[in-house]
Structure formats: structure tokens, C-alpha cells
Amino acid sequence: MDAVLELDGVTHRYGATVALDTVDLRVMPGECVALLGPNGAGKTTLTSLVTGLLSPRSGRIVVAGGDPARAATRARLGVVQQRVGWPRTLTVAEVVHGAAVRAGASRLHVEPALAEVGLAELRRRRAAKLSGGQQQRLQLAMALVASPTLLVLDEPTTGLDAATRRDFWTTLATRRDRGSGVLLATHQLDEAAAVADRVVVLAHGRVVAVDTPNGLTSRLADRIVSARTCLDVANLTNLPGVLDLDATDGRLRASTTQPERLVRHLLDHDPSLGDLRVEAVGLEHAVLHLTEGAQTPDGTTPVDRARPRPTTEVHA
């Protein structure tokens, strides 16, 4: 089975600043790959390269078997961004029809796409008058109208309520079942853990980890121990395995590689101990652990941190 997205040794610079450094990446049909990392990691640069907005300085990018710089290849892409500027005069149906025309798809696909994202009843409303959640669904309809081979999602659910987010991912799950691959760039780590098959962690333009969400968290031996205690928690820092701890209003929260030893100490020394919990670390903790020690390729400030995220103007 051929990948719907391939990056081989992709490097991109802004002047002397290295934004991506020899990045390799694959997305298979029906697979969701999440890009995670702090601001400045290179996520926006990578998605811009994949969608043909930028060209790499070196390396190879293949989208759906073609060059993303070519219009015919981009027609096989569906893109959902965090922010889009909407034309004031066009209706919902007209905006999606324009997306279909640009992708070479039949106008007969417009109504099914609107129905798929729950906007059929708003087809005559001005796109600029939609709520934030409705505008995200409109972007999704534009992305789906041409039955894309690859969907590129850049912070697609930021600001959405829980119900709208759930509906968004339910729609995407149906398209994945039909074979569409998904590349998701996000800061929503809980969401990535729930929907992604694999996670690619970027730091300063370099790939520092590729694994399943569970695989990433299992790389860390530590657990989170929390409890209400009357003990002087400052003394707990000397216990073997304790990495860091915080105590506020009698509530202890500690990260440790030896949770059994810490729990035994708490039980032995605090008869009033209460609300004791031991939790596995989450994806956020794993990503922070992987990226905190990463170094920039050339010692410069990561460019994405200073570069504003573009707003795309939608045209008919």
C-alpha cells in the first residue's frame, strides 16, 4: 500500500534559521498522524510545505503520488486551518461550490458535503455570519467536497465546544474508513491521544520521537502520585525516584519513578493521609520530557515562534 504522504530528508530554512532539519515522515491511507511539539518546533512550516505553500530547500515531498507545488496534486488535498477570512457576500453553498470548482470536482458533491458536516440547513446563510464552530464545519465541507486523498488539519478544533469537536472527529473517522489519510498539527494533546494512530514529536525542526500515543507515554517510567497529607513535603524530595513535586493547601502532587516507595512512605508516616491516587503519565508529560532537552540545529531562535500564523482568505 502506497503512502498518501512521504517526506524524505526534508530541510527548510528562513535565512540562516533552520526551521526543519532532515525530516522523514509517512502517512498511510486511513491513518491519522499527529504532529506535536512546542511553539517553534516546525509544525507550521511542515504543513505549509505539505500543502504547497512553501518549497523545501532540500529533500523530497510526495503527496498522493505527486508534487504538492502542482495544482493537480493540491486538488487531492483537503485543508482545515485554525483561522480563515471569509468573503462577506458569499453563502455557505457558494463557498463550498467554489472549493469544488478549484479541485475539479462536480457541483453535485456540494450538497452531500454540506449534509455530511451538518450545514445543509444553513446553505443560504452568509459564510461570514456563521458562528466559530459552524465556520470550522464549513472549512471541513470545503476540504471534503473533492474526496481528498490527504487531509491536513492545522489546529482544527481550537475554540470549539466539546459537542462540536466530537462531531468533527466523527465525520473525519468516516472519511478515514474510506481511505483518506490525516495529518494533524495540534497543541491539543488529549485530542491527539484520542484520535491519532501515530504521533510525531518535533523539537526545533527535528523529529525526536515517532510512536503510538501509548508507546510514547510508556517510555517514561514515572507516575504521578497525589494525596492530601500533613507531612512536610520538602523532606520527600530526598526519597529515591522523586523527580519533582508540588504542594498547595495540603495537597501533594509528585512525579516519581518509584511510586510504590513514595506511597509506602506516605502511608507509614501520615495516619491522616487521604485521597491517595497513582496515575500514569499522560501524553503531555511525555512530549515535554522529549522536547525539553532538544537543541536547535544551529543555535538560533526557532522561526515559527516569531512568525505569525497566516490567515487564509477564502475566494469563490
Side-chain angles (χ1 to χ4, degrees):
M1 186 182 297
D2 294 332
V4 296
L5 173 63
E6 299 177 76
L7 277 73
D8 293 314
V10 171
T11 296
H12 192 75
R13 294 174 177 267
Y14 297 100
T17 301
V18 180
L20 289 178
D21 185 21
T22 58
V23 170
D24 297 328
L25 178 65
R26 298 285 186 280
V27 178
M28 302 303 293
E31 182 183 35
C32 178
V33 174
L35 292 176
L36 299 181
N39 289 336
K43 300 187 299 295
T44 298
T45 296
L46 194 152
T47 56
S48 296
L49 289 166
V50 170
T51 55
L53 296 177
L54 295 174
S55 297
R57 295 298 179 92
S58 63
R60 183 178 74 105
I61 302 177
V62 179
V63 175
D67 181 352
R70 300 183 60 185
T73 301
R74 292 197 300 272
R76 304 185 69 182
L77 276 171
V79 181
V80 178
Q81 298 177 303
Q82 183 178 354
R83 294 184 299 180
V84 167
W86 299 100
R88 296 182 179 180
T89 59
L90 297 184
T91 66
V92 167
E94 288 169 340
V95 167
V96 178
H97 180 235
V101 170
R102 289 191 297 274
S106 170
R107 64 182 302 166
L108 297 178
H109 295 172
V110 173
E111 294 301 329
L114 290 174
E116 187 174 2
V117 302
L119 289 179
E121 295 182 358
L122 299 178
R123 62 183 312 280
R124 292 184 176 84
R125 182 171 296 184
R126 304 292 182 191
K129 298 295 184 180
L130 296 178
S131 69
Q134 290 167 344
Q135 288 182 356
Q136 288 300 88
R137 281 190 278 161
L138 177 55
Q139 275 205 78
L140 185 56
M142 295 169 62
L144 298 179
V145 71
S147 299
T149 303
L150 175 68
L151 285 155
V152 179
L153 313 178
D154 191 1
E155 303 288 356
T157 61
T158 298
L160 300 187
D161 59 61
T164 304
R165 216 185 308 175
R166 183 179 62 248
D167 291 343
F168 183 96
W169 286 113
T170 297
T171 302
L172 264 295
T174 300
R175 287 298 181 128
R176 288 177 59 192
D177 288 343
R178 299 181 193 173
S180 293
V182 177
L183 180 66
L184 167 66
T186 183
H187 286 94
Q188 305 287 334
L189 301 190
D190 56 337
E191 189 170 71
V195 304
D197 300 299
R198 287 189 298 126
V199 174
V200 175
V201 182
L202 291 173
H204 305 313
R206 291 173 172 166
V207 174
V208 296
V210 181
D211 209 332
T212 65
N214 287 338
L216 279 183
T217 57
S218 67
R219 294 186 185 193
L220 302 180
D222 50 313
R223 297 292 184 266
I224 303 299
V225 175
S226 59
R228 293 199 174 276
T229 179
C230 63
L231 295 180
D232 181 2
V233 298
N235 295 327
L236 299 179
T237 57
N238 298 321
L239 289 177
V242 174
L243 303 178
D244 59 71
L245 58 81
D246 177 70
T248 305
D249 298 329
R251 179 75 186 178
L252 166 71
R253 183 175 176 85
S255 175
T256 175
T257 60
Q258 300 184 36
E260 297 85 357
R261 187 185 292 260
L262 176 57
V263 169
R264 188 179 303 115
H265 181 92
L266 292 171
L267 292 172
D268 289 346
H269 293 83
D270 186 1
S272 65
L273 188 75
D275 198 15
L276 176 64
R277 300 181 184 181
V278 180
E279 305 168 78
V281 296
L283 184 59
E284 180 175 9
H285 192 87
V287 171
L288 287 173
H289 176 82
L290 290 165
T291 59
E292 278 179 345
Q295 300 296 317
T296 59
D298 54 6
T300 58
T301 303
V303 69
D304 284 348
R305 185 171 300 151
R307 184 176 294 273
R309 187 180 299 274
T311 298
T312 300
E313 180 72 28
V314 175
H315 301 281

